[in-house]
Amino acid sequence: MTRPDGADRTGMKARLHLWIRLILLAAVMALLFVVDTATNYEVAAAVFYALVVLTAAPFLNRRVLIRLSALCVALTVLSFVLTAKGNLSTGLANMGISVVAILMATWLILKMDAARQAAQDAHAKLVRIARIKSLEGLTTSIAHEINQPLAAIVTSGTACGHWLAHDPPNLDRARQALGRIVQDAGRASAIVARVRSLTRGDPPSTTVFSFNEAVQEVIGVSSGEIARHGIALVLELAPDLPPVHADRVQIQQVIGNLLLNAIEAILSGPAQSRVIHMASEVVGGMVQLSIRDSGPGIPAGVRDHLFEAFWTTKEDGMGIGLSISRTLVEANGGQIEAEAVKTGGAIFRFTVPPVQQENSR
C-alpha cells in the first residue's frame, strides 16, 4: 500500500477543512431556518443569512457563492410562508429587509472580489513590464558598453587597410593595427560577459592589478579620439599608488565611460580650451581617480539625477553610462561622485579599495 506524500496529505487536510466548514455552514443555516419559521413574524432571524454569506465568501468561488445567496433568499421566503404567527405586515417588512441584506452582502463581496482580481491582474501586468524593461536595459547596457571597442575596431581596420594599400605596403604598421583589432575585440567580448554577469547578480571577478596601468591602457585605446579632437590631456598619476583589488575590466569600463563623457563635454567649446585633467591619488585610504573637463559643467538641479538610469541631458544620449558606472564602482567596493567646477567644467571622481584595505577586512 502506497502512503500519501506531503502534497497529498496537504490536499487531504484542505479538503477535510472545507467539508467541516460546509457542514457547519449548513447547520447554521438549518438553525436559522428553524428559528425564523418557529417564531413570530416580528423576529427577523433570516437577516443573519447575510452573515452566513459573508462567512462563506473566503472559501467559496463566485458561482457557488451566488448559489448560496439564492438559497438563503429562498429559505427566507419559505420561512415567511411557513410562519403562522404574528403581524403579517411586519413579517413582510422583515422578509424584505432580510432579502435586501443578503443581496447587498453578496453584491459587496462580488465587487470586492472583482477589485481584488483587477489589482492582481494589474500587478501581473507590472511584473511583465518590469521583465521587459529589464531585458531592454540589458540590451541597452551591452550596446552602450561595446560601442567604444567596436568604434576602435573600425578605426584600426581602416588604418590597417590604409597601411596595406601603401606601395610598398607598410606591414609593421598593418600588424600593429591588427593587434589593436584583436585586443579591442577581446575587450568587447569581456564587457558583454561582465554586463551579463552583473545583471545576474554575480560578484565581480576581482584580481590584484596596478591602477595606473589600467588607466594608461584606457587612455591608449582613446588616444586616437583625443588626438583627433585636439584635446590636451594632462596626467597626474601618483607613482606610489598601492595595487588595487577589483574587477579590472569593470574598472576600465568606468574609466572609459568617464573619459568618453569628458571628451563629449568639451567638444562644444572652443578648440583652444579643450583640456582634460586626470589624476590618481590615495584619499581616505582609497585609491581615487578624478577626471576634470573644461566643458559647460553641470547645470543646477542636474547633479542629483546624473547617475539615474535612462536620464540624460544629451539629445542622442541613452542615459545609461553613468548609471552603469555607479553600479560597477559600488560592486567593487568604491564610491563615485560628480560636481561642477567653479572655474568651469565638471569633475568626476571614483574610488577603489587598495589591496591592503581588502586584506584587513
Side-chain angles (χ1 to χ4, degrees), residues 289-317:
L289 179 70
S290 59
I291 301 179
R292 189 179 74 229
D293 64 66
S294 56
I298 303 174
V302 171
R303 181 181 170 187
D304 293 339
H305 303 285
L306 277 177
F307 297 99
E308 293 179 7
F310 303 109
W311 194 94
T312 180
T313 57
K314 302 175 185 176
E315 292 183 359
D316 57 346

PDB file of all heavy atoms in Angstrom, residues 289-317:
ATOM      1  N   LEU A 289      40.479  58.107  -8.602  1.00  0.00           N
ATOM      2  CA  LEU A 289      40.774  58.715  -9.903  1.00  0.00           C
ATOM      3  C   LEU A 289      39.785  59.849 -10.122  1.00  0.00           C
ATOM      4  O   LEU A 289      38.575  59.675  -9.931  1.00  0.00           O
ATOM      5  CB  LEU A 289      40.627  57.697 -11.041  1.00  0.00           C
ATOM      6  CG  LEU A 289      40.901  58.266 -12.433  1.00  0.00           C
ATOM      7  CD1 LEU A 289      42.390  58.572 -12.616  1.00  0.00           C
ATOM      8  CD2 LEU A 289      40.415  57.330 -13.535  1.00  0.00           C
ATOM      9  N   SER A 290      40.313  61.006 -10.508  1.00  0.00           N
ATOM     10  CA  SER A 290      39.449  62.142 -10.834  1.00  0.00           C
ATOM     11  C   SER A 290      39.679  62.529 -12.290  1.00  0.00           C
ATOM     12  O   SER A 290      40.810  62.505 -12.782  1.00  0.00           O
ATOM     13  CB  SER A 290      39.734  63.340  -9.908  1.00  0.00           C
ATOM     14  OG  SER A 290      41.085  63.741 -10.036  1.00  0.00           O
ATOM     15  N   ILE A 291      38.600  62.853 -12.969  1.00  0.00           N
ATOM     16  CA  ILE A 291      38.656  63.273 -14.372  1.00  0.00           C
ATOM     17  C   ILE A 291      37.927  64.611 -14.477  1.00  0.00           C
ATOM     18  O   ILE A 291      36.715  64.686 -14.245  1.00  0.00           O
ATOM     19  CB  ILE A 291      38.001  62.227 -15.297  1.00  0.00           C
ATOM     20  CG1 ILE A 291      38.704  60.871 -15.148  1.00  0.00           C
ATOM     21  CG2 ILE A 291      38.037  62.693 -16.741  1.00  0.00           C
ATOM     22  CD1 ILE A 291      38.106  59.768 -15.995  1.00  0.00           C
ATOM     23  N   ARG A 292      38.691  65.649 -14.766  1.00  0.00           N
ATOM     24  CA  ARG A 292      38.118  67.003 -14.846  1.00  0.00           C
ATOM     25  C   ARG A 292      38.163  67.487 -16.282  1.00  0.00           C
ATOM     26  O   ARG A 292      39.193  67.369 -16.954  1.00  0.00           O
ATOM     27  CB  ARG A 292      38.902  67.960 -13.939  1.00  0.00           C
ATOM     28  CG  ARG A 292      38.229  69.332 -13.794  1.00  0.00           C
ATOM     29  CD  ARG A 292      39.006  70.250 -12.875  1.00  0.00           C
ATOM     30  NE  ARG A 292      40.223  70.750 -13.503  1.00  0.00           N
ATOM     31  CZ  ARG A 292      41.412  70.725 -12.949  1.00  0.00           C
ATOM     32  NH1 ARG A 292      41.579  70.178 -11.757  1.00  0.00           N
ATOM     33  NH2 ARG A 292      42.463  71.214 -13.574  1.00  0.00           N
ATOM     34  N   ASP A 293      37.041  68.005 -16.760  1.00  0.00           N
ATOM     35  CA  ASP A 293      37.000  68.532 -18.125  1.00  0.00           C
ATOM     36  C   ASP A 293      36.765  70.027 -18.105  1.00  0.00           C
ATOM     37  O   ASP A 293      36.467  70.604 -17.056  1.00  0.00           O
ATOM     38  CB  ASP A 293      35.901  67.815 -18.934  1.00  0.00           C
ATOM     39  CG  ASP A 293      34.511  68.079 -18.367  1.00  0.00           C
ATOM     40  OD1 ASP A 293      34.055  69.245 -18.413  1.00  0.00           O
ATOM     41  OD2 ASP A 293      33.879  67.117 -17.874  1.00  0.00           O
ATOM     42  N   SER A 294      36.909  70.643 -19.258  1.00  0.00           N
ATOM     43  CA  SER A 294      36.715  72.093 -19.381  1.00  0.00           C
ATOM     44  C   SER A 294      35.428  72.398 -20.132  1.00  0.00           C
ATOM     45  O   SER A 294      35.325  73.407 -20.824  1.00  0.00           O
ATOM     46  CB  SER A 294      37.917  72.710 -20.114  1.00  0.00           C
ATOM     47  OG  SER A 294      38.098  72.079 -21.380  1.00  0.00           O
ATOM     48  N   GLY A 295      34.464  71.511 -20.011  1.00  0.00           N
ATOM     49  CA  GLY A 295      33.195  71.684 -20.711  1.00  0.00           C
ATOM     50  C   GLY A 295      32.256  72.654 -20.014  1.00  0.00           C
ATOM     51  O   GLY A 295      32.667  73.443 -19.154  1.00  0.00           O
ATOM     52  N   PRO A 296      30.967  72.588 -20.359  1.00  0.00           N
ATOM     53  CA  PRO A 296      29.994  73.546 -19.809  1.00  0.00           C
ATOM     54  C   PRO A 296      29.643  73.306 -18.344  1.00  0.00           C
ATOM     55  O   PRO A 296      28.911  74.095 -17.745  1.00  0.00           O
ATOM     56  CB  PRO A 296      28.768  73.332 -20.714  1.00  0.00           C
ATOM     57  CG  PRO A 296      28.899  71.918 -21.192  1.00  0.00           C
ATOM     58  CD  PRO A 296      30.365  71.680 -21.344  1.00  0.00           C
ATOM     59  N   GLY A 297      30.133  72.235 -17.768  1.00  0.00           N
ATOM     60  CA  GLY A 297      29.852  71.974 -16.350  1.00  0.00           C
ATOM     61  C   GLY A 297      28.542  71.236 -16.157  1.00  0.00           C
ATOM     62  O   GLY A 297      27.973  70.657 -17.077  1.00  0.00           O
ATOM     63  N   ILE A 298      28.063  71.262 -14.905  1.00  0.00           N
ATOM     64  CA  ILE A 298      26.824  70.559 -14.546  1.00  0.00           C
ATOM     65  C   ILE A 298      25.767  71.599 -14.179  1.00  0.00           C
ATOM     66  O   ILE A 298      25.922  72.314 -13.187  1.00  0.00           O
ATOM     67  CB  ILE A 298      27.064  69.611 -13.360  1.00  0.00           C
ATOM     68  CG1 ILE A 298      28.176  68.612 -13.696  1.00  0.00           C
ATOM     69  CG2 ILE A 298      25.779  68.879 -12.990  1.00  0.00           C
ATOM     70  CD1 ILE A 298      28.574  67.734 -12.533  1.00  0.00           C
ATOM     71  N   PRO A 299      24.705  71.728 -14.969  1.00  0.00           N
ATOM     72  CA  PRO A 299      23.669  72.719 -14.654  1.00  0.00           C
ATOM     73  C   PRO A 299      23.030  72.464 -13.291  1.00  0.00           C
ATOM     74  O   PRO A 299      23.014  71.335 -12.794  1.00  0.00           O
ATOM     75  CB  PRO A 299      22.654  72.532 -15.790  1.00  0.00           C
ATOM     76  CG  PRO A 299      23.406  71.835 -16.883  1.00  0.00           C
ATOM     77  CD  PRO A 299      24.429  70.990 -16.196  1.00  0.00           C
ATOM     78  N   ALA A 300      22.499  73.523 -12.722  1.00  0.00           N
ATOM     79  CA  ALA A 300      21.843  73.399 -11.418  1.00  0.00           C
ATOM     80  C   ALA A 300      20.657  72.440 -11.510  1.00  0.00           C
ATOM     81  O   ALA A 300      19.896  72.473 -12.470  1.00  0.00           O
ATOM     82  CB  ALA A 300      21.364  74.781 -10.950  1.00  0.00           C
ATOM     83  N   GLY A 301      20.510  71.603 -10.525  1.00  0.00           N
ATOM     84  CA  GLY A 301      19.400  70.657 -10.484  1.00  0.00           C
ATOM     85  C   GLY A 301      19.648  69.365 -11.240  1.00  0.00           C
ATOM     86  O   GLY A 301      18.839  68.452 -11.185  1.00  0.00           O
ATOM     87  N   VAL A 302      20.773  69.307 -11.958  1.00  0.00           N
ATOM     88  CA  VAL A 302      21.072  68.115 -12.756  1.00  0.00           C
ATOM     89  C   VAL A 302      21.860  67.095 -11.956  1.00  0.00           C
ATOM     90  O   VAL A 302      21.721  65.886 -12.158  1.00  0.00           O
ATOM     91  CB  VAL A 302      21.837  68.511 -14.044  1.00  0.00           C
ATOM     92  CG1 VAL A 302      22.355  67.287 -14.782  1.00  0.00           C
ATOM     93  CG2 VAL A 302      20.918  69.329 -14.944  1.00  0.00           C
ATOM     94  N   ARG A 303      22.688  67.576 -11.037  1.00  0.00           N
ATOM     95  CA  ARG A 303      23.618  66.702 -10.326  1.00  0.00           C
ATOM     96  C   ARG A 303      22.916  65.528  -9.637  1.00  0.00           C
ATOM     97  O   ARG A 303      23.418  64.405  -9.646  1.00  0.00           O
ATOM     98  CB  ARG A 303      24.387  67.531  -9.300  1.00  0.00           C
ATOM     99  CG  ARG A 303      25.411  66.741  -8.516  1.00  0.00           C
ATOM    100  CD  ARG A 303      26.109  67.640  -7.521  1.00  0.00           C
ATOM    101  NE  ARG A 303      26.918  66.879  -6.589  1.00  0.00           N
ATOM    102  CZ  ARG A 303      27.533  67.395  -5.540  1.00  0.00           C
ATOM    103  NH1 ARG A 303      27.441  68.687  -5.307  1.00  0.00           N
ATOM    104  NH2 ARG A 303      28.234  66.649  -4.733  1.00  0.00           N
ATOM    105  N   ASP A 304      21.747  65.796  -9.055  1.00  0.00           N
ATOM    106  CA  ASP A 304      21.055  64.735  -8.316  1.00  0.00           C
ATOM    107  C   ASP A 304      20.560  63.607  -9.223  1.00  0.00           C
ATOM    108  O   ASP A 304      20.226  62.523  -8.748  1.00  0.00           O
ATOM    109  CB  ASP A 304      19.870  65.324  -7.537  1.00  0.00           C
ATOM    110  CG  ASP A 304      20.328  66.249  -6.428  1.00  0.00           C
ATOM    111  OD1 ASP A 304      21.499  66.131  -6.014  1.00  0.00           O
ATOM    112  OD2 ASP A 304      19.526  67.094  -6.003  1.00  0.00           O
ATOM    113  N   HIS A 305      20.463  63.893 -10.529  1.00  0.00           N
ATOM    114  CA  HIS A 305      19.927  62.876 -11.453  1.00  0.00           C
ATOM    115  C   HIS A 305      21.003  62.247 -12.321  1.00  0.00           C
ATOM    116  O   HIS A 305      20.698  61.386 -13.148  1.00  0.00           O
ATOM    117  CB  HIS A 305      18.872  63.514 -12.360  1.00  0.00           C
ATOM    118  CG  HIS A 305      17.740  64.158 -11.626  1.00  0.00           C
ATOM    119  ND1 HIS A 305      16.731  63.436 -11.029  1.00  0.00           N
ATOM    120  CD2 HIS A 305      17.477  65.465 -11.360  1.00  0.00           C
ATOM    121  CE1 HIS A 305      15.880  64.267 -10.453  1.00  0.00           C
ATOM    122  NE2 HIS A 305      16.319  65.504 -10.624  1.00  0.00           N
ATOM    123  N   LEU A 306      22.262  62.688 -12.180  1.00  0.00           N
ATOM    124  CA  LEU A 306      23.309  62.258 -13.107  1.00  0.00           C
ATOM    125  C   LEU A 306      23.460  60.748 -13.187  1.00  0.00           C
ATOM    126  O   LEU A 306      23.712  60.204 -14.264  1.00  0.00           O
ATOM    127  CB  LEU A 306      24.651  62.876 -12.682  1.00  0.00           C
ATOM    128  CG  LEU A 306      24.928  64.299 -13.149  1.00  0.00           C
ATOM    129  CD1 LEU A 306      26.253  64.787 -12.586  1.00  0.00           C
ATOM    130  CD2 LEU A 306      24.950  64.367 -14.673  1.00  0.00           C
ATOM    131  N   PHE A 307      23.304  60.069 -12.055  1.00  0.00           N
ATOM    132  CA  PHE A 307      23.579  58.635 -12.026  1.00  0.00           C
ATOM    133  C   PHE A 307      22.302  57.790 -12.106  1.00  0.00           C
ATOM    134  O   PHE A 307      22.333  56.591 -11.833  1.00  0.00           O
ATOM    135  CB  PHE A 307      24.359  58.284 -10.760  1.00  0.00           C
ATOM    136  CG  PHE A 307      25.713  58.938 -10.705  1.00  0.00           C
ATOM    137  CD1 PHE A 307      25.908  60.090  -9.956  1.00  0.00           C
ATOM    138  CD2 PHE A 307      26.776  58.429 -11.426  1.00  0.00           C
ATOM    139  CE1 PHE A 307      27.152  60.708  -9.919  1.00  0.00           C
ATOM    140  CE2 PHE A 307      28.020  59.029 -11.398  1.00  0.00           C
ATOM    141  CZ  PHE A 307      28.213  60.177 -10.636  1.00  0.00           C
ATOM    142  N   GLU A 308      21.185  58.431 -12.463  1.00  0.00           N
ATOM    143  CA  GLU A 308      19.947  57.681 -12.633  1.00  0.00           C
ATOM    144  C   GLU A 308      19.920  57.062 -14.029  1.00  0.00           C
ATOM    145  O   GLU A 308      20.341  57.681 -15.006  1.00  0.00           O
ATOM    146  CB  GLU A 308      18.722  58.588 -12.463  1.00  0.00           C
ATOM    147  CG  GLU A 308      18.566  59.111 -11.041  1.00  0.00           C
ATOM    148  CD  GLU A 308      17.357  60.028 -10.912  1.00  0.00           C
ATOM    149  OE1 GLU A 308      16.594  60.142 -11.888  1.00  0.00           O
ATOM    150  OE2 GLU A 308      17.192  60.638  -9.848  1.00  0.00           O
ATOM    151  N   ALA A 309      19.399  55.828 -14.107  1.00  0.00           N
ATOM    152  CA  ALA A 309      19.325  55.138 -15.390  1.00  0.00           C
ATOM    153  C   ALA A 309      18.333  55.822 -16.321  1.00  0.00           C
ATOM    154  O   ALA A 309      17.277  56.281 -15.891  1.00  0.00           O
ATOM    155  CB  ALA A 309      18.913  53.684 -15.178  1.00  0.00           C
ATOM    156  N   PHE A 310      18.673  55.908 -17.604  1.00  0.00           N
ATOM    157  CA  PHE A 310      17.847  56.462 -18.667  1.00  0.00           C
ATOM    158  C   PHE A 310      17.515  57.937 -18.437  1.00  0.00           C
ATOM    159  O   PHE A 310      16.495  58.422 -18.889  1.00  0.00           O
ATOM    160  CB  PHE A 310      16.549  55.654 -18.845  1.00  0.00           C
ATOM    161  CG  PHE A 310      16.800  54.203 -19.122  1.00  0.00           C
ATOM    162  CD1 PHE A 310      16.525  53.242 -18.157  1.00  0.00           C
ATOM    163  CD2 PHE A 310      17.349  53.782 -20.319  1.00  0.00           C
ATOM    164  CE1 PHE A 310      16.779  51.897 -18.394  1.00  0.00           C
ATOM    165  CE2 PHE A 310      17.601  52.445 -20.570  1.00  0.00           C
ATOM    166  CZ  PHE A 310      17.313  51.501 -19.605  1.00  0.00           C
ATOM    167  N   TRP A 311      18.375  58.645 -17.701  1.00  0.00           N
ATOM    168  CA  TRP A 311      18.198  60.080 -17.509  1.00  0.00           C
ATOM    169  C   TRP A 311      19.420  60.759 -18.116  1.00  0.00           C
ATOM    170  O   TRP A 311      20.562  60.482 -17.733  1.00  0.00           O
ATOM    171  CB  TRP A 311      18.105  60.421 -16.020  1.00  0.00           C
ATOM    172  CG  TRP A 311      17.605  61.816 -15.752  1.00  0.00           C
ATOM    173  CD1 TRP A 311      16.320  62.195 -15.502  1.00  0.00           C
ATOM    174  CD2 TRP A 311      18.379  63.018 -15.722  1.00  0.00           C
ATOM    175  NE1 TRP A 311      16.253  63.537 -15.321  1.00  0.00           N
ATOM    176  CE2 TRP A 311      17.491  64.069 -15.449  1.00  0.00           C
ATOM    177  CE3 TRP A 311      19.730  63.300 -15.916  1.00  0.00           C
ATOM    178  CZ2 TRP A 311      17.910  65.396 -15.352  1.00  0.00           C
ATOM    179  CZ3 TRP A 311      20.150  64.621 -15.832  1.00  0.00           C
ATOM    180  CH2 TRP A 311      19.250  65.650 -15.540  1.00  0.00           C
ATOM    181  N   THR A 312      19.221  61.667 -19.069  1.00  0.00           N
ATOM    182  CA  THR A 312      20.345  62.282 -19.747  1.00  0.00           C
ATOM    183  C   THR A 312      19.987  63.681 -20.212  1.00  0.00           C
ATOM    184  O   THR A 312      18.811  63.997 -20.424  1.00  0.00           O
ATOM    185  CB  THR A 312      20.780  61.437 -20.969  1.00  0.00           C
ATOM    186  OG1 THR A 312      21.893  62.066 -21.615  1.00  0.00           O
ATOM    187  CG2 THR A 312      19.652  61.269 -21.964  1.00  0.00           C
ATOM    188  N   THR A 313      20.997  64.522 -20.368  1.00  0.00           N
ATOM    189  CA  THR A 313      20.803  65.858 -20.919  1.00  0.00           C
ATOM    190  C   THR A 313      21.225  65.902 -22.384  1.00  0.00           C
ATOM    191  O   THR A 313      21.057  66.923 -23.038  1.00  0.00           O
ATOM    192  CB  THR A 313      21.625  66.893 -20.126  1.00  0.00           C
ATOM    193  OG1 THR A 313      23.010  66.499 -20.155  1.00  0.00           O
ATOM    194  CG2 THR A 313      21.158  66.978 -18.683  1.00  0.00           C
ATOM    195  N   LYS A 314      21.764  64.773 -22.878  1.00  0.00           N
ATOM    196  CA  LYS A 314      22.214  64.729 -24.271  1.00  0.00           C
ATOM    197  C   LYS A 314      21.040  64.385 -25.191  1.00  0.00           C
ATOM    198  O   LYS A 314      20.238  63.515 -24.875  1.00  0.00           O
ATOM    199  CB  LYS A 314      23.319  63.676 -24.437  1.00  0.00           C
ATOM    200  CG  LYS A 314      24.526  63.908 -23.549  1.00  0.00           C
ATOM    201  CD  LYS A 314      25.499  62.740 -23.696  1.00  0.00           C
ATOM    202  CE  LYS A 314      26.664  62.867 -22.741  1.00  0.00           C
ATOM    203  NZ  LYS A 314      27.568  61.684 -22.818  1.00  0.00           N
ATOM    204  N   GLU A 315      20.998  65.048 -26.345  1.00  0.00           N
ATOM    205  CA  GLU A 315      19.903  64.797 -27.273  1.00  0.00           C
ATOM    206  C   GLU A 315      19.940  63.370 -27.807  1.00  0.00           C
ATOM    207  O   GLU A 315      18.907  62.753 -28.045  1.00  0.00           O
ATOM    208  CB  GLU A 315      19.964  65.794 -28.439  1.00  0.00           C
ATOM    209  CG  GLU A 315      19.670  67.238 -28.026  1.00  0.00           C
ATOM    210  CD  GLU A 315      19.664  68.170 -29.206  1.00  0.00           C
ATOM    211  OE1 GLU A 315      19.902  67.687 -30.336  1.00  0.00           O
ATOM    212  OE2 GLU A 315      19.438  69.376 -29.005  1.00  0.00           O
ATOM    213  N   ASP A 316      21.160  62.850 -28.042  1.00  0.00           N
ATOM    214  CA  ASP A 316      21.285  61.498 -28.583  1.00  0.00           C
ATOM    215  C   ASP A 316      21.787  60.512 -27.535  1.00  0.00           C
ATOM    216  O   ASP A 316      22.243  59.422 -27.864  1.00  0.00           O
ATOM    217  CB  ASP A 316      22.244  61.492 -29.784  1.00  0.00           C
ATOM    218  CG  ASP A 316      23.613  62.048 -29.409  1.00  0.00           C
ATOM    219  OD1 ASP A 316      23.723  62.660 -28.325  1.00  0.00           O
ATOM    220  OD2 ASP A 316      24.563  61.862 -30.189  1.00  0.00           O
ATOM    221  N   GLY A 317      21.733  60.910 -26.266  1.00  0.00           N
ATOM    222  CA  GLY A 317      22.223  60.039 -25.203  1.00  0.00           C
ATOM    223  C   GLY A 317      21.172  59.038 -24.764  1.00  0.00           C
ATOM    224  O   GLY A 317      19.976  59.223 -24.988  1.00  0.00           O
TER     225      GLY A 317
END
